[in-house]
Amino acid sequence: MIVRFSPANMCIILAQIAVGIAALAMLALAPPAHGAMLLVPLMSDAPAARLARDSHALLLEQGPAGSLVVLGDRQTLFWPLLRAGVLAVAAPVPLCGEASDVLA
Amino acid sequence: MSSLDLLRIRAIRTLALVGWLCLPVLLIWGTAMGSPNTGLALATAALGNVIPTWMALRRRHDAAARMNFAVLAALLPATYVYLLSGMTWQMDAHMYFFVALSMLAVLCDWRPLALASVLIALHHLVLSYLLPTWVFENDGTITRVLFHALAIVLQFAALTYLTTRMRHLIVAQDKARAEGERLVAEAETERSKAVAALAATTAAEERSAHERARRKTAEARLAEERRSALIALADDFEQSVAGVAIAIEGAAATLEGSAATLTQIAADAGRQANEVAAGAAQAAGATQDVADAVHRLTDSIGEIAESADAQATLTGAVRRNAEEGKNAVLDLAARAGDIGGLVGEIHEIATRTNLLALNATIEAARAGDAGRGFAVVAGEVKQLAGGTARASDKIVTLIDSVRQGVAATETNIVGAADAVLRVATAAGDIKGAVAGQRGVAAEIERTAHEAARGVDMIEQRIARVAAVANEADTLSRHVREAAGSLSDHARRLRRSTDGFVEQLRTGEREAA
């Protein structure tokens, strides 16, 4: 039995799917409480490395597009770095290498 | 609303309630386990519950609502896994994906199951590539993910078979129940009809018996009423017909009297019409005479007008002649004055000639004899001069008399001209008055002719009135005869009615 959805119903379904995918992405990219994180500068002159060191994080390696892979605590890194224009997210292995995986 | 719809509505409400119950469970569990991800897990679970709860509150249970709960079923177990990330219990939290898929089975639809299965399998595959430690705590290989995905597929197949069969059973049960209810309703209807028919039969028999009794009573009452009605009808008929006959007799008598009166009136009207016609004929003749006299008067006035015109013409000529005579007399007076002047010169010449003759006589006397002859001539001249002076005096006398005559003549001519002017004015007035009288006479003549025609018309109409009066006389005689005949018929009708009513009463008394 093939059911054709009306445009309104299709919009509702797609909206809920988008909510689900966004939630899953948010869970996947949320920085861990402690472990490898990817610091993505949102502004070009954001001093990501200095701020990470000031927050007692360990610099692991250079990430893609000027980002940094660090090892640290979410509580001390996330909000201070975000106020300075640096977003801390989970460090995916394909982008950040095996170091993030091993040290995590 | 079918049983399947009711089941889906209840299932959707239950799933929405379970979705929100997950939040306190997450809070309690995350707190108990000391999970640092509790806040984010709560936030994502609440976000995923919004749209499905909104649809449940609107009592929606269509395919779109069911698909929304499929997304929720894939999302909530993921929050549990995230909540327990990095802990020993993380792997156990995956069991709730199977629980969520099983709960979707109550919707009796395979499509939410398919969507939830696809979402679960896909996000595990993606995360196993991006964050393998997030999916499995230790050694999260693709082989394990595929192994779990196979379990999902198998569960989806089993639940799809189950939900499809359950939906078919519910639909068939609905149909069977509807058919049973329909048959029960039909049976109830037929039973009601049978009971009603039985009751109707019994009632019809009772009505029939009651109707027979009522008919007999009614027949007896009708027979009595018919007799009474016939007698009353006979009485009414007698009264009405007799009354009509009497009224006809009275009307006929009145009509006969009216016809006689009408005959008399018609005769009087005919006679008076004839008299009026004769008077109208005399009036017509008199009017015609008046018209002729007026015509002659008009002719006479025309002749008077012509005479007045001729008089006015002649008066004008006389006036012009008087004016010419006046001018001639005035010219004569002027010539007489001129002659007087000449006579004065002649008298002066005669005076001078007399003085010359006197001087000649004196000179002749001085000359003596030589002048004797000259003295004779001078004497002759003196005599001639004297004769001339006397002749001139006579002429002066004559001229004076002529002047007096001319003045008298002028006075007479002026008086004659004034008289002629007055005569001309009077003639003009006469002419105007005659013209006015001529118009009045023409109007009188026209009016007299119209009066004559009116009198002729009156005479003709009076003649027709007389003829109509004669016809009315004849007609009234006929009416009088008809009224007499009608009176006879009315009397016969009353006798016939009396006989008929007597027979009717006798017959009814015999029948009773």
Side-chain angles (χ1 to χ4, degrees), chain A residues 3 9 12 16 26 28 74 93, chain B residues 36-37 48 60 68 111 131:
Chain A
V3 175
N9 286 336
I12 291 173
Q16 177 67 356
M26 195 162 57
R74 179 177 63 192
V93 174
Chain B
N37 300 327
R60 289 189 58 171
N68 270 274
R111 287 164 297 191
L131 293 170

Side-chain angles (χ1 to χ4, degrees), chain A residues 1-3 5 9 12-13 15-17 19-21 23-24 26-33 74 90-94 101 104, chain B residues 36-37 40 44 47-48 51-52 54-55 60 62-64 67-68 71-72 75 78-79 82 111 123 127 129-134:
Chain A
M1 184 173 61
I2 298 174
V3 175
F5 294 104
N9 286 336
I12 291 173
I13 294 171
Q16 177 67 356
I17 290 174
V19 167
I21 291 174
L24 290 172
M26 195 162 57
L27 294 178
L29 296 177
R74 179 177 63 192
V93 174
D101 190 23
Chain B
N37 300 327
L40 188 58
T44 52
L47 185 66
I51 295 178
W54 175 72
M55 301 195 82
R60 289 189 58 171
D62 54 356
M67 299 300 267
N68 270 274
V71 177
L72 184 63
L75 178 61
T79 59
Y82 176 72
R111 287 164 297 191
H123 94 261
L127 290 177
Y129 175 67
L130 295 176
L131 293 170
T133 57
W134 197 91

Side-chain angles (χ1 to χ4, degrees), chain B residues 20 48 63 91 134 145 147 176 187 214 257 260 267 270 276 285 323 325 354 365 369 371 387 412 423 464 470 496:
Chain B
W20 285 105
M91 186 61 213
W134 197 91
V145 173
F147 182 72
R214 194 178 62 79
V276 170
E323 193 67 27
N354 193 20
D369 293 335
N412 292 330
V423 169
R464 282 202 295 274
N470 291 330
S496 299

Side-chain angles (χ1 to χ4, degrees), chain B residues 111-132:
Chain B
R111 287 164 297 191
L113 292 170
L115 179 59
S117 302
V118 168
L119 286 175
I120 291 170
L122 272 182
H123 94 261
H124 273 84
L125 286 171
V126 171
L127 290 177
S128 69
Y129 175 67
L130 295 176
L131 293 170

Side-chain angles (χ1 to χ4, degrees), chain B residues 365-377:
Chain B
R366 281 179 183 170
D369 293 335
R372 195 174 292 167
F374 188 68
V376 173
V377 174

